[in-house]
Amino acid sequence: MLAAVFAVLQLANVTGRDTPDTKNYLSYALSLRGDGKRAAAAATIDYACAGRASIARRNQSVDVLRFHRPSPTRRVTEECRREQWAQVDRRLRAGQTAGRTVPFMPARFMRIFEVRPGYPALLVPFIAVFGVTWGLWASGVTVAVAGGVLAFLTLRTLRAPTVVALTGQALFYVLPCGATAMRPMTEGLMLTLTLAALWGCALALEGGRARTGAALVGGALAWLFTVKHSQALFLGLCLAAACAAIGLRRAGGVPDRAAPGAGPGTEPGAAPDSSTGAAPDSSTDAVPGSGPGGVRVGVGVLVRVRRAWAALGRPLRAVALVAGGAAVATVLAARALRYPAESESLQDLLTDHFGRPDRIRPWPEFLRLEAGFWVEWLRRQLWEPLFLTALLAAAWGALRRRPAFGCFLLAGAFTGVLNQAGHPDINIYGDRLIVLAWLLPVLGLPLLLERATRPPAPLPGTVPGPLRRDTAPVR
């Protein structure tokens, strides 16, 4: 029902959701469908210009000085087509015809999108069936609805009540996740794949289903590599770090809070002691051998790592291996396939998409821009602190109610911060680069409110039974 209502509401904005990068993904998808360069360029330009004209018309209709003027749709459409075709024709005549994208920008910039086939491949069946405009809209609805359903499934796997799980699904739709997922960009698919990985982590934690959980995590990371390989690297590293934190916590004798319906002690998936069946002992083993202090410290670290690995349990060890292996495989595959390196992304940022000469010392400039960005970002967030408040409340709820899963949730949300840190551009519309951080409120806030949805526990010594109705009130 929630998904159907969300889909109907999206009919209010069928066009006008695109960004400049949408042209690159759409032309890639049309090329995969079999269109030539000029056919793909014509369909892409028509879609982009229709969106621009729609926004111009809507803006004029509410302008207090220009609302009574004739519609600007035709004028804006013609101007947009002339501008876009002039750029494309010039580059095609210059021989920029390699790859599957239409050359809307310099070749170095287009190379960044050439190595992201995952999202265009998803668009192909929708465009083939519904056409460009409705195909992009239908694909956005599908991705957004899938994200909400995955939020519901994750919370149910964590044994949250149905109403709590439905709250998480609704939050995905009404928070910026839903609006961003509807945009014809990669961020929506990144949100959905991150939620799929978190669902796999929840299955490994709560059900002890090592194969299913690891398969979900691995599949999500593999698909994410085709969508945006840097994001696959971020998520793999963060999930592996979350497994390390859980293992160290358990090896240190700090028990996980039991999920509702589970017994006390460790969550399902924790490794019991082989002799007693209890959780791993928190006492410190004597470090073997005597020698220099550095050797003893190194041996002690190895002992702690071994005990943390054992404390994870088989399901989480499988998740850790898949996540860590995916991170390593991402780096190796990107090098083997000669994907654009981080230095190329840096030059793209600092030269306005290669429209200016390359910077000689890009890293000092990048770090200065990074520092200024986060100062300004924090200033704007403190002006309207909804996002920061939601993050803090959700982190509190997740870590209090499901500490182990809370580590995974924080890891998934932190990939949004890393994504934004790699592109410190304050002018990017709608904070779409950091949108993955909104997954923390989507899953954490329902867990915070979970206690309020459960009936109060009976007082000690009371016996449940029907209320007596044969007594009169004392006057």
Side-chain angles (χ1 to χ4, degrees), residues 345-346 348-350 362-363 365-377 417-428 433:
S345 179
L346 202 61
D348 167 50
L349 173 71
L350 297 176
W363 283 106
E365 294 184 23
F366 173 77
L367 294 176
R368 180 179 177 182
L369 177 63
E370 189 81 51
F373 170 85
W374 287 111
V375 170
E376 178 60 24
W377 182 86
V417 179
L418 293 175
N419 190 33
Q420 181 68 80
H423 305 79
D425 186 352
I426 203 70
N427 298 314
I428 293 180
L433 294 181

Side-chain angles (χ1 to χ4, degrees), residues 286-292 295-296 299:
V287 177
S290 61
V295 174
R296 290 197 299 269
V299 173

Side-chain angles (χ1 to χ4, degrees), residues 153-234:
L153 293 174
T154 301
L155 289 168
R156 287 296 293 156
T157 301
L158 294 172
R159 305 179 189 179
T162 302
V163 65
V164 171
L166 289 173
T167 301
Q169 183 180 1
L171 285 175
F172 184 87
Y173 296 146
V174 302
L175 291 178
C177 299
T180 302
M182 280 297 302
R183 301 180 74 85
M185 294 286 292
T186 57
E187 281 77 19
L189 190 52
M190 287 160 52
L191 282 164
T192 301
L193 292 175
T194 302
L195 277 170
L198 291 176
W199 184 29
C201 296
L203 287 170
L205 268 173
E206 292 293 332
R209 285 172 273 184
R211 291 184 179 179
T212 305
L216 267 174
V217 173
L221 288 170
W223 194 348
L224 197 55
F225 177 83
T226 68
V227 175
K228 189 176 182 182
H229 69 277
S230 62
Q231 197 64 28
L233 175 62
F234 293 155

Side-chain angles (χ1 to χ4, degrees), residues 315-449:
L316 291 191
R317 285 200 295 267
V319 171
L321 287 173
V322 169
V328 174
T330 296
V331 175
L332 296 178
R335 293 291 184 266
L337 296 172
R338 297 183 180 181
Y339 281 8
E342 60 276 359
S343 59
E344 198 74 350
S345 179
L346 202 61
Q347 293 291 355
D348 167 50
L349 173 71
L350 297 176
T351 61
D352 191 20
H353 307 311
F354 306 106
R356 300 177 181 179
D358 283 7
R359 312 304 298 173
I360 299 176
R361 300 176 65 235
W363 283 106
E365 294 184 23
F366 173 77
L367 294 176
R368 180 179 177 182
L369 177 63
E370 189 81 51
F373 170 85
W374 287 111
V375 170
E376 178 60 24
W377 182 86
L378 183 60
R379 181 183 292 117
R380 297 187 183 189
Q381 294 301 319
L382 293 176
W383 189 350
E384 296 180 358
L386 173 63
F387 184 35
L388 294 180
T389 303
L391 288 179
L392 291 175
W396 173 261
L399 293 175
R400 287 282 294 177
R401 301 295 296 171
R402 304 291 193 285
F405 180 76
C407 292
F408 286 120
L409 180 56
L410 287 174
F414 188 65
T415 62
V417 179
L418 293 175
N419 190 33
Q420 181 68 80
H423 305 79
D425 186 352
I426 203 70
N427 298 314
I428 293 180
Y429 173 79
D431 292 334
R432 63 179 177 84
L433 294 181
I434 203 173
V435 71
L436 285 156
W438 278 102
L439 292 181
L440 181 55
V442 166
L443 299 178
L445 289 180
L447 293 176
L448 179 66
L449 302 174

